[in-house]
Amino acid sequence: MRKSSIYAVLFALVLVLVACGDSEDTTEDSTTTDEVTDEVWEEIKEEGVITVGTSGTLYPTSYYPEGSDELTGFEVEVQREIANRLGVDVEFEIMAYDAILSAINSGRVDMTSMGLRGERKEQFAYTQPIKYSFATMIVRKDDHSGIEKLEDLEGKLAGGAATTVYSEIAEKFGAEVKTYGNATNDAYLRDVHNGRTDVVINDYYLQSLAIQAFPEFNIEIHPDLKFHTSTTSIVMPKEAEKLREEVDAIVAEMLEDGTLREISEEFFDGQDVTVEPEGDVIEIEGIAK
């Protein structure tokens, strides 16, 4: 974790030596060095630890199995493998989803796994994707919560976390968003089942596994609505270019040797999230990619 300023800029002196004498020989030696050091990377190497921000409540990407105090999940195990290949230890900081990027900017954590879009792509460094997906919605099984198309979200109550693209989509189509903070899946799903909310919009792979854990709930993934393709990458401070290069090379290596696919299949019920989804997916005008 960073303890000092992000930039370390070393300016060399320009030395000009002029020799004048009876001879006409004149020697000028000019040396300039302008090197920017990635202080995030230097400190990680020095301390031998990389700090990762994660929710710890989102199955199957970052969660504690029942009866266990050992954090695991797709993103957690990918980050552990990255740390291992970097030759450093990894420490996880559990925090609300919408606090993680601020924690990266403040130096509290060094990296996370997240999908960046719009202006945020210019504010952080990130690797090639470790996961491809799209959005779906969980609705009540008996009547689809009265939703057959995206426009039917008008007037509905959607469960969601603050500042996510899924809440933005719900609001774009006229739904009111009920926010939960860093809640676990059962809180969201139980409210749809009980009618306290109408819908939860989220990542397809996450939702397809979440509902399997609650077969007694009157909920299902909407059978006809697939929208807003997305990617997840490893995200770091904008100025941590050396760290980004190192981690991106490891991600490419893990894709090549099959490690990412194996971790995906372990946590996503045999599905490979490292390839782009097939089929038609609705893209929503006005929602940043």
Side-chain angles (χ1 to χ4, degrees):
M1 192 183 305
R2 290 166 287 166
K3 297 185 181 65
S4 52
S5 65
I6 300 301
Y7 293 100
V9 183
L10 304 178
F11 294 99
L13 296 175
V14 179
L15 303 178
V16 181
L17 301 178
V18 180
C20 300
D22 292 338
S23 68
E24 296 182 357
D25 291 337
T26 301
T27 302
E28 182 179 277
D29 182 11
S30 178
T31 304
T32 303
T33 303
D34 187 1
E35 179 182 354
V36 178
T37 301
D38 178 353
E39 191 167 294
V40 181
W41 172 242
E42 293 300 323
E43 189 159 341
I44 289 168
K45 288 195 300 180
E46 180 181 347
E47 296 188 357
V49 177
I50 192 165
T51 306
V52 175
T54 190
S55 72
T57 60
L58 190 58
Y59 175 84
T61 62
S62 173
Y63 68 102
Y64 292 93
E66 186 174 355
S68 173
D69 60 359
E70 179 69 19
L71 185 69
T72 190
F74 171 71
E75 293 176 7
V76 169
E77 298 308 328
V78 169
Q79 291 155 342
R80 280 202 174 104
E81 181 63 20
I82 289 171
N84 180 61
R85 297 191 187 199
L86 285 174
V88 298
D89 294 330
V90 61
E91 293 181 352
F92 292 95
E93 288 271 355
I94 306 301
M95 60 186 66
Y97 176 87
D98 57 354
I100 294 177
L101 292 182
S102 294
I104 287 180
N105 275 333
S106 70
R108 178 177 173 185
V109 301
D110 300 312
M111 71 179 191
T112 189
S113 299
M114 189 175 290
L116 294 177
R117 60 193 186 90
E119 292 181 356
R120 283 182 172 176
K121 288 185 175 181
E122 305 302 320
Q123 297 169 357
F124 296 90
Y126 54 95
T127 67
Q128 61 191 289
I130 62 170
K131 176 176 175 283
Y132 294 88
S133 191
F134 55 91
T136 57
M137 58 178 71
I138 288 178
V139 292
R140 283 183 288 280
K141 190 182 299 183
D142 52 5
D143 64 351
H144 296 168
S145 300
I147 301 169
E148 298 303 334
K149 56 186 183 297
L150 288 170
E151 288 75 12
D152 292 334
L153 286 166
E154 177 77 34
K156 303 297 184 183
L157 186 58
T163 72
T164 67
V165 65
Y166 307 114
S167 293
E168 185 178 336
I169 291 171
E171 291 172 335
K172 176 179 176 62
F173 287 96
E176 178 185 351
V177 176
K178 175 183 177 181
T179 57
Y180 289 73
N182 205 30
T184 53
N185 290 325
D186 63 300
Y188 291 92
L189 304 186
R190 184 174 288 105
D191 277 2
V192 176
H193 166 73
N194 290 331
R196 295 189 184 97
T197 59
D198 300 301
V199 61
V200 176
I201 300 175
N202 210 303
D203 175 89
Y204 165 74
Y205 291 110
L206 302 187
Q207 297 204 120
S208 65
L209 293 181
I211 62 174
Q212 292 181 23
F214 303 96
E216 71 277 14
F217 288 178
N218 177 37
I219 57 175
E220 69 176 359
I221 289 180
H222 200 293
D224 302 319
L225 292 176
K226 298 166 59 176
F227 48 96
H228 188 72
T229 55
S230 61
T231 59
T232 299
S233 299
I234 305 298
V235 177
M236 294 146 284
K238 178 70 173 179
E239 65 278 357
E241 182 56 30
K242 178 61 176 176
L243 176 61
R244 189 205 64 80
E245 289 178 1
E246 295 287 336
V247 175
D248 194 51
I250 290 173
V251 169
E253 184 181 85
M254 292 171 67
L255 282 166
E256 178 68 24
D257 65 23
T259 302
L260 267 180
R261 184 189 67 252
E262 292 173 5
I263 299 174
S264 169
E265 291 172 346
E266 176 183 356
F267 288 98
F268 289 102
D269 196 27
Q271 300 177 98
D272 184 3
V273 303
T274 69
V275 296
E276 297 186 48
E278 298 179 350
D280 295 331
V281 180
I282 300 169
E283 296 299 347
I284 302 172
E285 186 178 351
I287 298 296
K289 298 290 292 180

